[in-house]
Amino acid sequence: MRAIIVGSGAGGLTTASTIRKYNKDMEVVVITKEKEIAYSPCAIPYVIEGAIKSFDDIVMHTPEDYKKERNIDVLTETTVVDVDSKNNKIKCIDKDGNEFEMGYDYLVLATGAEPFIPPIEGKDLEGVFKVRSIEDGRAILKYIEENDCKKVAVVGAGAIGLEMAYGLKKRGLEVLVVEMAPQVLPRFLDPDMAEIVQKYLEKEGINIILSKPLEKIIGNEKVEAVCVDGKLYDADMVIMATGVRPNVELAKKAGCKIGRFAIEVNEKMQTSIPNIYAVGDCVEVVDFITGEKTLSPFGTTAVRQGKVAGKNIAGVEAKFYPVLNSAVSKIGELEIGGTGLTAFSANLKRIPIVIGRAKALTRARYYPGGKEIEIKMIFNEDGRVVGCQIVGGERVAERIDAMSIAIFKGTTAEELANMEFCYAPPVSMVNEPLSLAAENALKKLGK
């Protein structure tokens, strides 16, 4: 029996390792276009910033490690160009251009997503970069050093865009962020919470233009400037952090059903072809609150899906649950997190909500080092929590995790307000900020 996994990201490698954990005899092969594997793309901005010393530090395993420690074969710099699902075969091309075929009993598509680059003038100039792979990160640093770059335009104010903007600022560049939405972090923050982040970045010296698209990139061979709303801004390089699109081409060639956004899978991570599974950014998932199909382009989602797919292939029953798309980021001294619905998305779906708010400190008032934290909690009309956003100086991630559990369990504002939380002056307040936000909502709910 042979399982072939196409893709060496979090989803693909987790699938491979999970198969091996539960089945010691199955042949497991991972095929990837990349030269390096088992690294964290989310860490790229922090290497750019200098918080992590080197890109080598974010590579956790080599192909040799997988062979020696887990008996998993990894073929790097190899592209799968076709899938013959009727005969259970794939066609591959290696780095030297050699074509070959491999048969499979199980195939896992972990093809991820490709950066979306808007079709604007100048996008192919030297000095325009995407941020998706470790090679992209290395190329960005090399270009900065070789061209003595002083000014950069970052297009897109999502998490990766803002993390890159801060990292480049810390590296000494003058940074301009261009975002066509009317706020930063539009995917998981409401405008009022996003404003906190924007003010922090502007205080750090980052220029931000909102509600305006990048019109064109100007230069002869290299980037020289960008045009926004008819105005020119000098730039030595451009970072395109304009989102990603699921890579579903192989799935189409295999004959797998494509849903509204990406590859359609069941709760076992099977596609419409029973012995072909799919995991990671290339699949669509179910939103826990609305029941609608959505995307969940997060490493944590890919890992959970990989465990589910791997178990099922190895003969151990497992299922993947709907998502809340919990997210967290750290930009400079600010931590930002969100889970579930925002007020904006709830209003868009015409879901009646009540909002609870709290501003507090992360430690007792008298204990040194306490930082401000602001919480916005979203409840439905029955008083059950359906979303939460937090911006603060520390301990945001663990509170978002707690709220994710609360949402999954259908916790009410009254339960949150009266829930038992731990306390010690160096790490918390005696009145937990989450409880304070729930209490604020209780008043509005008339309870």
Side-chain angles (χ1 to χ4, degrees):
M1 297 284 282
R2 175 190 287 165
I4 294 179
I5 296 94
V6 184
S8 63
L13 291 177
T14 300
T15 303
S17 295
T18 304
I19 294 171
R20 177 58 69 236
K21 179 178 179 180
Y22 292 96
N23 187 317
K24 304 301 181 185
D25 300 319
M26 187 179 296
E27 182 183 356
V28 181
V29 182
V30 176
I31 302 176
T32 177
K33 295 184 291 185
E34 297 201 51
K35 185 177 182 179
E36 294 175 282
I37 66 167
Y39 65 85
S40 172
C42 299
I44 292 171
Y46 303 105
V47 180
I48 298 292
E49 177 186 335
I52 301 171
K53 185 178 179 180
S54 165
F55 282 108
D56 293 338
D57 294 333
I58 68 173
V59 179
M60 293 166 283
H61 298 285
T62 65
E64 292 75 22
D65 292 334
Y66 274 89
K67 182 61 177 177
K68 182 180 178 180
E69 299 170 9
R70 307 177 193 184
N71 193 25
I72 294 171
D73 295 306
V74 181
L75 306 182
T76 59
E77 298 179 272
T78 301
T79 303
V80 179
V81 295
D82 201 6
V83 178
D84 179 357
S85 59
K86 291 182 179 179
N87 295 300
N88 292 342
K89 290 182 180 180
I90 59 170
K91 182 186 291 185
C92 309
I93 301 177
D94 67 18
K95 64 179 179 180
D96 298 318
N98 300 311
E99 290 190 11
F100 62 94
E101 290 186 344
M102 291 184 73
Y104 63 83
D105 296 286
Y106 295 98
L107 180 66
V108 181
L109 300 176
T111 47
E114 296 293 330
F116 171 71
I117 307 297
I120 59 174
E121 183 182 335
K123 66 181 178 65
D124 296 320
L125 285 171
E126 187 178 348
V128 178
F129 297 91
K130 62 186 188 304
V131 188
R132 189 65 179 169
S133 69
I134 197 167
E135 287 86 0
D136 295 331
R138 287 195 168 110
I140 289 167
L141 283 189
K142 183 179 179 183
Y143 193 84
I144 291 172
E145 292 166 2
E146 291 184 350
N147 294 274
D148 192 27
C149 295
K150 304 295 184 186
K151 297 182 178 182
V152 58
V154 177
V155 186
I160 292 294
L162 296 186
E163 290 162 6
M164 285 295 295
Y166 183 84
L168 290 162
K169 180 66 179 177
K170 294 299 286 184
R171 195 161 277 275
L173 278 73
E174 185 177 322
V175 181
L176 170 69
V177 175
V178 182
E179 170 58 58
M180 65 186 302
Q183 66 169 87
V184 301
L185 300 171
R187 283 184 64 90
F188 67 95
L189 289 187
D190 282 317
D192 53 344
M193 298 296 281
E195 189 177 356
I196 302 170
V197 181
Q198 181 181 341
K199 287 180 177 178
Y200 171 78
L201 292 171
E202 289 173 337
K203 186 179 177 182
E204 290 293 310
I206 295 172
N207 299 313
I208 299 174
I209 298 175
L210 300 174
S211 302
K212 306 289 182 184
L214 178 70
E215 293 172 351
K216 59 182 175 179
I217 304 170
I218 298 165
N220 291 319
E221 295 181 356
K222 296 182 178 181
V223 172
E224 297 174 12
V226 295
C227 181
V228 183
D229 197 28
K231 298 179 182 179
L232 296 184
Y233 297 86
D234 291 339
D236 301 308
M237 63 189 302
V238 175
I239 307 295
M240 302 297 286
T242 44
V244 296
R245 298 292 184 271
N247 187 345
V248 299
E249 292 309 308
L250 271 185
K252 288 180 178 179
K253 290 179 179 180
C256 299
K257 185 176 180 181
I258 307 300
R260 180 182 175 189
F261 302 109
I263 303 171
E264 188 173 291
V265 293
N266 61 20
E267 62 184 13
K268 294 182 178 181
M269 303 312 299
Q270 284 175 303
T271 68
S272 56
I273 300 173
N275 70 331
I276 299 181
Y277 290 70
V279 298
D281 294 359
C282 61
V283 307
E284 62 182 26
V285 294
V286 177
D287 184 290
F288 176 78
I289 296 168
T290 67
E292 298 172 352
K293 291 295 181 69
T294 187
L295 295 172
S296 187
F298 300 103
T300 48
T301 299
V303 167
R304 289 187 292 124
Q305 290 174 340
K307 289 179 180 180
V308 170
K311 284 181 179 179
N312 284 305
I313 290 170
V316 179
E317 285 193 14
K319 66 178 183 178
F320 182 77
Y321 294 92
V323 303
L324 290 172
N325 278 344
S326 303
V328 70
S329 177
K330 187 175 191 298
I331 303 171
E333 298 301 315
L334 208 59
E335 296 180 10
I336 308 113
T339 186
L341 293 179
T342 60
F344 178 83
S345 61
N347 291 333
L348 205 62
K349 298 176 188 301
R350 299 187 178 182
I351 299 173
I353 57 169
V354 171
I355 296 171
R357 299 179 183 272
K359 290 183 181 180
L361 294 173
T362 57
R363 309 179 191 185
R365 283 196 312 270
Y366 51 80
Y367 197 92
K371 298 177 181 178
E372 291 184 352
I373 191 167
E374 187 160 340
I375 297 172
K376 182 176 184 178
M377 212 173 279
I378 316 295
F379 297 86
N380 65 17
E381 58 186 347
D382 296 326
R384 297 188 184 279
V385 63
V386 294
C388 183
Q389 301 157 56
I390 308 176
V391 179
E394 61 181 359
R395 302 193 176 98
V396 167
E398 43 269 64
R399 286 186 168 94
I400 289 296
D401 288 340
M403 292 309 301
S404 295
I405 296 170
I407 296 171
F408 272 119
K409 292 298 182 180
T411 309
T412 65
E414 186 172 1
E415 289 169 335
L416 277 169
N418 292 285
M419 193 165 288
E420 182 177 354
F421 289 94
C422 58
Y423 160 69
V427 293
S428 60
M429 292 180 62
V430 71
N431 282 313
E432 165 56 40
L434 293 176
S435 285
L436 296 177
E439 286 178 10
N440 180 252
L442 270 178
K443 294 178 183 176
K444 299 175 184 179
L445 285 163
K447 296 181 179 180

